Amino acid sequence: MTRKIGLTLPQRGTFFDVLSLSELVETGHWADETGLFESLWIGDSLLAKPRPESIALFGSLAAVTRTARLAVGCMASFPVRDPILFADQWATLDQLSGGRMLLAVCTGIVKPKDASAREGAPYGVSDASRANRMEENTEIVRRLWTEEDVTYNGRYTSFENVTVLPKPVQSPPPIYIASNPAPEPLATRALRRVARIADGWMTTRKSPEHLTVNLPAIKEFLVEEGRDPEAFPVSAYHNLNLNPDREAAYEESYRFLGEYYGPVFSREATRHWTATGTPEQAAADIERLYADGATEVTLRITSWDWRRQLDLLVKEVIPRLQG
């Protein structure tokens, strides 16, 4: 059975000497040319976790790729962005890419140092409003992508007779929700939201229960919503460090994630969130994600030796997953 594999391009790595922005775009082109990657992913944040801006970066990636879906995981700034402007930008990207855009939205709440609260302040967006804004903006952009002369009266945004042109190729482009709530106690409201309004779910496995507990709950809620849980995409955002010394691999990944996000991921969470070891061992780690219900795994190499490891991923890990 063919496994869907994505590649996550670490654009925050441009800040700590992992790769340059031009190398990141070139890597996206190279990965697309291999024909092995279902999707190419980047992240997003405006001020909470700054990085090269996602919409602008997607313009470059759309120009140098042909087949892979172009995905964001997650669009953390989605509750902050103006939904009309965003709908126009995303529709244009979908046209440029020939209908390959995949949007995974999230609340973008970052608690350490109140980063998301400070990000939202210039726009009048509080952390407490982010989840509701995410839902409202999701409804708005879907309508703008599929309707003309849209009038909307919402809690946060209201407008009359707005038409976004061009329309996207996809009608509408898919919208996943990216979330990884602690499985104990069960985050019923957040998981129900996924089942109610999302076209798919993206998560990170900070513990095995992030998939083995949360996903069965989502599937139950999907049934309650009259939706088919077996047809619901689940994307697992995972890390990869190929080093026969697994302890060294975990330690480098821990340092990498510390540079990437700050001190928010423990060593234990890093172990659960990273496939390590030889190509055979890493492939076995990734297989467990599929066994737990993921329909796609997108991998970010958490190593400064990313070129060699990317070559190993293509030549020795992916063939094992597709065998």
Side-chain angles (χ1 to χ4, degrees):
M1 179 179 178
T2 300
R3 305 299 200 181
K4 289 185 177 180
I5 288 285
L7 180 66
T8 299
L9 302 172
Q11 79 255 46
R12 291 200 96 200
T14 60
F15 295 159
F16 56 100
D17 298 326
V18 176
L19 76 178
S20 68
L21 195 52
S22 61
E23 286 175 321
L24 186 144
V25 174
E26 290 165 5
T27 302
H29 168 72
W30 177 86
D32 182 68
E33 288 287 300
T34 69
L36 296 175
F37 295 99
E38 173 78 12
S39 53
L40 297 172
W41 295 76
I42 61 173
D44 169 82
S45 183
L46 294 179
L47 304 174
K49 291 182 284 187
R51 66 194 70 203
E53 202 277 330
S54 60
I55 298 294
L57 182 53
F58 273 129
S60 293
L61 290 170
V64 300
T65 59
R66 296 182 180 181
T67 60
R69 289 181 301 158
L70 302 179
V72 59
C74 62
M75 184 62 74
S77 63
F78 189 65
V80 174
R81 292 179 184 258
D82 175 82
I84 299 174
L85 175 59
F86 178 83
D88 198 3
Q89 292 171 319
W90 203 257
T92 299
L93 288 170
D94 204 55
Q95 284 282 342
L96 285 171
S97 66
R100 292 185 285 124
M101 303 306 297
L102 171 59
L103 174 62
V105 302
C106 63
T107 64
I109 294 175
V110 182
K111 287 300 184 183
K113 300 181 181 179
D114 297 320
S116 53
R118 289 185 286 107
E119 175 187 73
Y123 308 97
V125 175
S126 66
D127 278 1
S129 72
R130 279 182 177 252
N132 290 331
R133 287 177 182 273
M134 180 181 72
E135 289 194 36
E136 185 171 295
N137 285 358
T138 296
E139 181 181 2
I140 290 171
V141 298
R142 279 180 173 148
R143 289 193 59 190
L144 290 171
W145 287 334
T146 57
E147 303 175 26
E148 297 186 3
D149 296 320
V150 177
T151 294
Y152 190 86
N153 293 301
R155 182 175 178 183
Y156 304 104
T157 302
S158 296
F159 53 85
E160 294 183 357
N161 302 323
V162 171
T163 298
V164 163
L165 293 173
K167 297 296 185 194
V169 174
Q170 303 175 93
S171 185
I175 301 178
Y176 291 13
I177 287 180
S179 64
N180 55 343
E184 181 65 38
L186 193 69
T188 302
R189 181 183 176 188
L191 300 179
R192 281 189 183 277
R193 181 188 298 118
V194 173
R196 180 168 48 86
I197 69 171
D199 297 312
W201 181 48
M202 186 180 201
T203 194
T204 57
R205 196 189 69 171
K206 295 189 294 184
S207 75
E209 292 76 21
H210 278 74
L211 266 174
T212 60
V213 172
N214 286 340
L215 181 54
I218 289 174
K219 289 187 174 183
E220 288 184 11
F221 298 145
L222 284 165
V223 172
E224 292 177 8
E225 294 289 332
R227 305 177 67 185
D228 181 3
E230 300 309 313
F232 193 75
V234 177
S235 181
Y237 178 15
H238 210 62
N239 299 309
L240 177 73
N241 193 305
L242 294 168
N243 185 332
D245 184 341
R246 300 191 86 176
E247 290 304 314
Y250 287 130
E251 188 60 32
E252 184 183 30
S253 292
Y254 177 71
R255 295 197 313 273
F256 187 102
L257 293 173
E259 293 281 356
Y260 208 89
Y261 295 110
V264 295
F265 288 100
S266 66
R267 281 182 165 83
E268 182 182 7
T270 300
R271 287 179 178 272
H272 292 308
W273 197 24
T274 310
T276 61
T278 64
E280 183 178 16
Q281 290 171 320
D285 286 347
I286 296 165
E287 284 283 2
R288 281 192 281 273
L289 296 169
Y290 294 116
D292 288 341
T295 59
E296 179 178 9
V297 176
T298 180
L299 296 168
R300 171 182 53 192
I301 297 172
T302 46
S303 171
W304 280 263
D305 187 24
W306 62 272
R307 293 175 183 83
R308 182 186 66 83
Q309 295 203 20
L310 182 58
D311 188 59
L312 286 173
L313 170 61
V314 166
K315 293 179 180 178
E316 299 191 34
V317 178
I318 292 178
R320 284 180 164 86
L321 298 171
Q322 295 180 334

